[in-house]
Amino acid sequence: MGDSLTYKIIRAHLASGEMTPGAEIGLRIDQTLTQDATGTMTYLQFEAMDLPRVKTDLSVSYVDHNMLQTDFRNADDHRYLQSVAAKYGILFSRPGNGICHQVHLERFGKPGATLLGADSHTPTSGGLGSLAIGAGGLDVAIAMAGAPFYVPMPRVVRVLLTGKLSPWVSAKDVILEMLRRLTVKGGVGKVIEYTGPGVACLSVPERASITNMGAELGATSSIFPSDDVTREYLAAQGRVEDWQPLAADPDATYDETVEIDLGALVPLMAAPFSPDAVHPVAELAGTPVQQVCIGSCTNSSIRDLETVAAMLRGKTVAPDVSLTINPGSKQVLTTVARSGALGDLIAAGARVMDPGCGPCIGMGQAPASGAVSVRSFNRNFKGRSGTDDAQVYLAGTETCAACALTGVITDPRDLGAAPVTETPASFQADDNMIVRPPADGAEIEIVRGPNIQPLPTRGPLEGEIAGEVLLVTGDNITTDHIMPAGAQILPLRSNIPAMSDFCFQRVDPTFPERARQAGGGILVGGENYGQGSSREHAALVPMYLGVEAVIVKSFARIHKANLVNVGILPLEFADAADYDRLAQGDRLRIVGVREALREGQPLTVTNETQGYAFQATYDLSARQVDAVLAGGVLNLIKAQA
Ligand code: MIC
Ligand code: SF4
């Protein structure tokens, strides 16, 4: 029996553990990436490890999320990141160079390499055959220190692609179809591996749109083989030497198979407020649209912008629509500027902005009250756009441009013949906005503005956890619910005390005050708790507010790892029915915690308010138990040193 591509790359990077699905493995990491919103915490943690230099083959620090610079804080963060990069041997991608995932795909992603990124959409580089995984900042800091990354050995899903996309149907529709079938928790614990004859019809940026949004399935990663199409892409990037052919063995075995006939797909769209609320565009057609946003790490490639330009050429954006465009990178922007497509976009009335995340993370361009916004992005969680009651839909670039032209949700197939765009044979590959570190950074001073506050810490886990249930949430709670982003809060990413005022702001604005009054407590949630962003702030801030345990029906992977990393105990209901009995304000007590964790025994949780007890379990490796007992991974590392 042969290996899947996922198994081949894992086998080549296995540092510890058995390749049994669900069991913890240690993976050697070749490359890391960070972005500014998660980067400051990551590097504060790397600094705490007291090493002279990173030990990876390549580490890149990108600035792409927060570039509004409404005051000194944001610019201070950029300066801090640039100085840290120079000191520790990290490449620094300057603001304006583009979205981390797009730039990494263009300039650094490598078939067969492992990439760990402090951002959930890191699997974008899976589009060229890299095993790319998103993680919390501390895990990335540890990888930069040369230690393995620990993750449950994934199950591997084979997606067999057959046929060929019809005109007006794009790669985005492939991943929306996956979300329609598997839902936002369908990928948890799995790597999604794309195979089959349909693969060859997809370009690398199209493959990357698909692997990017595998994050919305909750998947550990998504990956395409490295073939002639990959070779051509890398050659056009002037780095054909990074290419190697890679694919699953012909007799590879998989845990699951999903079949998609590309030819049978139609333009799809995710309705508010979840990326898996997928419908054919035709079903939603006619709804008036007030905003269209094109960009984000999912759909901001040269192909995307050339397609929009071809559709808009000589026309004008509908009078009630504001169309914004964020190119994915400087390379994309320069290419469309030189080809003339940029002129077509501007002439048609598009508002062209910085290459960066922009409206995707609520950094400007918040829609009007109750407005319908159609976006080529990957997340439409309530309030993420900056407007609580905005109705955000997710679609491919073709559908977005069609809506911008007509002012209503429009199936692009109603517009006649699809535009034909040409991919340039070589790209504007210029790394002049990447600052390379000096050979020796010992003399470099790290520059810290007043917004960069020290990391909060906690002591070891006590033998007894007692406290009140601070909040009971439903299923699929995202890290955007726990720790929102946006223009008001992102500048505080290096300042946990200041961020804590916004914890669970959109779920219950009284939460931070109540948590402080109660001196901490316990959180309760449903299925897939903590899906979405990798931001470790969603664990650090509750820890700072005194949360000691989170009890849920199930966790999303990255958030659970982040809880362990900061020393919050992640527990699961042994019987999901117990979730229904708990109420906010109930006092819970768990005794003998340390012994039970050491022996791998379930915990008994006594509800003192209602007078009953229930069982809670946990799925933690021995390493994770040690981390929780120590009060977090940094405490553990210090103790071991
Ligand atoms: C996101 O898309 O939510 C982000 C912002 O890129 C996050 C990272 C962050 O919160 O800084 C992610 O996806 O991990
Ligand atoms: Fe940036 Fe949006 Fe991509 Fe996150 S999902 S990295 S905010 S573009």
Side-chain angles (χ1 to χ4, degrees):
M1 277 186 313
D3 273 346
S4 61
L5 175 53
T6 307
Y7 266 60
K8 286 187 186 183
I9 302 180
I10 291 179
R11 213 182 282 292
H13 290 83
L14 194 68
S16 66
E18 303 257 327
M19 291 171 60
T20 313
E24 186 174 89
I25 53 167
L27 272 184
R28 269 189 303 279
I29 297 300
D30 301 321
Q31 305 185 337
T32 65
L33 71 79
T34 58
Q35 37 87 345
D36 51 308
T38 54
T40 51
M41 273 302 141
T42 309
Y43 296 113
L44 284 169
Q45 296 174 120
F46 184 76
E47 281 189 78
M49 290 175 204
D50 230 0
L51 289 169
R53 224 169 158 80
V54 296
K55 297 193 174 157
T56 41
D57 294 348
L58 174 89
S59 288
V60 192
S61 171
Y62 294 93
V63 177
D64 53 3
H65 277 62
N66 188 359
M67 302 193 293
L68 278 187
Q69 298 175 216
T70 45
D71 61 25
F72 67 93
R73 289 174 300 191
N74 191 203
D76 280 9
D77 283 357
H78 298 175
R79 203 170 52 173
Y80 167 76
L81 291 169
Q82 185 160 0
S83 63
V84 166
K87 185 165 187 70
Y88 295 115
I90 298 158
L91 272 59
F92 181 71
S93 171
R94 295 165 61 187
N97 198 39
I99 305 175
C100 53
H101 309 303
Q102 175 69 25
V103 178
H104 207 86
L105 185 79
E106 292 167 358
R107 305 306 305 143
F108 304 111
K110 239 184 181 174
T114 50
L115 165 68
L116 193 70
D119 192 284
S120 61
H121 290 102
T122 302
T124 311
S125 285
L128 41 69
S130 170
L131 184 65
I133 304 179
L138 181 52
D139 283 329
V140 175
I142 291 171
M144 287 191 289
F149 168 63
Y150 296 98
V151 63
M153 176 67 199
R155 299 198 298 133
V156 184
V157 181
R158 167 204 205 199
V159 182
L160 184 64
L161 298 178
T162 58
K164 199 170 168 287
L165 291 172
S166 311
W168 292 114
V169 180
S170 72
K172 180 67 153 270
D173 301 309
V174 177
I175 188 64
L176 287 172
E177 172 66 9
M178 286 291 287
L179 278 153
R180 190 184 71 77
R181 294 200 204 173
L182 270 64
T183 81
V184 290
K185 53 180 201 285
V188 177
K190 302 173 186 173
V191 170
I192 317 288
E193 190 171 312
Y194 293 84
T195 68
V199 165
C201 324
L202 298 168
S203 67
V204 167
E206 289 174 302
R207 297 174 185 185
S209 294
I210 296 173
T211 57
N212 168 279
M213 230 177 140
E216 277 52 65
L217 293 165
T220 302
S221 190
S222 301
I223 192 166
F224 273 83
S226 167
D227 56 9
D228 289 343
V229 175
T230 322
R231 185 176 191 285
E232 226 173 88
Y233 178 80
L234 287 172
Q237 290 289 351
R239 52 191 195 96
V240 73
E241 67 282 0
D242 286 342
W243 182 76
Q244 57 165 313
L246 276 180
D249 290 329
D251 58 343
T253 51
Y254 292 90
D255 297 294
E256 230 173 283
T257 295
V258 173
E259 239 184 282
I260 295 185
D261 172 5
L262 297 174
L265 292 178
V266 298
L268 297 171
M269 147 178 257
F273 291 102
S274 182
D276 63 2
V278 174
H279 303 267
V281 175
E283 253 176 38
L284 301 162
T287 311
V289 173
Q290 286 80 39
Q291 186 189 50
V292 173
C293 300
I294 290 169
S296 93
C297 52
T298 315
N299 278 108
S300 58
S301 66
I302 295 167
R303 179 209 165 267
D304 288 309
L305 267 58
E306 291 282 350
T307 304
V308 181
M311 290 175 67
L312 260 53
R313 191 164 297 140
K315 304 197 169 106
T316 305
V317 171
D320 292 334
V321 175
S322 165
L323 168 65
T324 73
I325 297 186
N326 281 82
S329 67
K330 180 175 77 88
Q331 178 179 101
V332 171
L333 183 53
T334 340
T335 308
V336 297
R338 298 206 169 129
S339 76
L342 180 62
D344 295 329
L345 293 172
I346 297 171
R351 302 166 65 182
V352 182
M353 302 185 289
D354 258 4
C357 301
C360 176
I361 191 61
M363 298 308 287
Q365 306 304 324
S369 300
V372 169
S373 176
V374 181
R375 302 176 161 209
S376 73
F377 304 170
N378 49 43
R379 289 185 173 146
N380 59 346
F381 305 143
K382 195 170 186 314
R384 181 173 161 105
S385 65
T387 304
D388 257 355
D389 59 357
Q391 306 290 309
V392 178
Y393 291 77
L394 307 172
T397 7
E398 288 82 350
T399 302
C400 287
C403 298
L405 281 171
T406 60
V408 294
I409 292 184
T410 302
D411 185 327
R413 293 174 301 178
D414 294 345
L415 299 185
V420 182
T421 59
E422 300 257 314
T423 313
S426 79
F427 300 113
Q428 312 289 332
D430 179 350
D431 291 332
N432 61 333
M433 289 290 277
I434 302 268
V435 183
R436 290 185 186 268
D440 179 1
E443 297 302 315
I444 293 191
E445 284 276 342
I446 293 179
V447 193
R448 256 174 265 272
N451 189 44
I452 310 222
Q453 292 294 312
L455 272 177
T457 50
R458 53 158 293 162
L461 183 75
E462 305 277 340
E464 179 175 315
I465 295 177
E468 99 184 32
V469 174
L470 294 169
L471 198 64
V472 180
T473 64
D475 290 345
N476 294 321
I477 281 293
T478 71
T479 48
D480 275 270
H481 290 105
I482 306 171
M483 230 15 280
Q488 194 189 5
I489 311 178
L490 266 199
L492 304 173
R493 279 291 179 93
S494 320
N495 186 341
I496 298 295
M499 274 200 105
S500 68
D501 292 339
F502 299 92
C503 192
F504 281 113
Q505 192 196 31
R506 292 206 185 96
V507 179
D508 175 359
T510 70
F511 178 82
E513 194 42 39
R514 289 193 295 103
R516 283 197 190 99
Q517 290 284 335
I522 294 167
L523 295 172
V524 172
E527 301 279 6
N528 199 27
Y529 179 85
Q531 69 156 330
S533 157
S534 67
R535 61 191 72 149
E536 61 194 330
H537 303 77
L540 275 165
V541 169
M543 182 271 270
Y544 174 77
L545 289 171
V547 170
E548 294 217 82
V550 181
I551 316 177
V552 301
K553 290 186 193 167
S554 68
F555 285 103
R557 172 187 63 89
I558 306 179
H559 185 60
K560 180 179 158 193
N562 287 339
L563 290 173
V564 169
N565 284 352
V566 304
I568 294 179
L569 181 58
L571 295 175
E572 286 168 43
F573 291 100
D575 178 356
D578 286 319
Y579 164 87
D580 300 320
R581 295 181 71 179
L582 279 177
Q584 184 175 314
D586 283 0
R587 277 205 72 80
L588 305 185
R589 188 179 298 276
I590 318 174
V591 297
V593 180
R594 296 187 68 89
E595 297 71 34
L597 285 180
R598 276 213 196 88
E599 288 159 17
Q601 296 299 319
L603 294 162
T604 303
V605 186
T606 307
N607 186 333
E608 297 183 333
T609 306
Q610 296 194 43
Y612 70 93
F614 65 92
Q615 298 277 298
T617 59
Y618 46 88
D619 181 10
L620 298 173
S621 67
R623 182 192 62 85
Q624 290 179 310
V625 166
D626 287 344
V628 170
L629 291 177
V633 163
L634 275 182
N635 289 353
L636 186 65
I637 293 176
K638 280 187 204 137
Q640 285 166 349

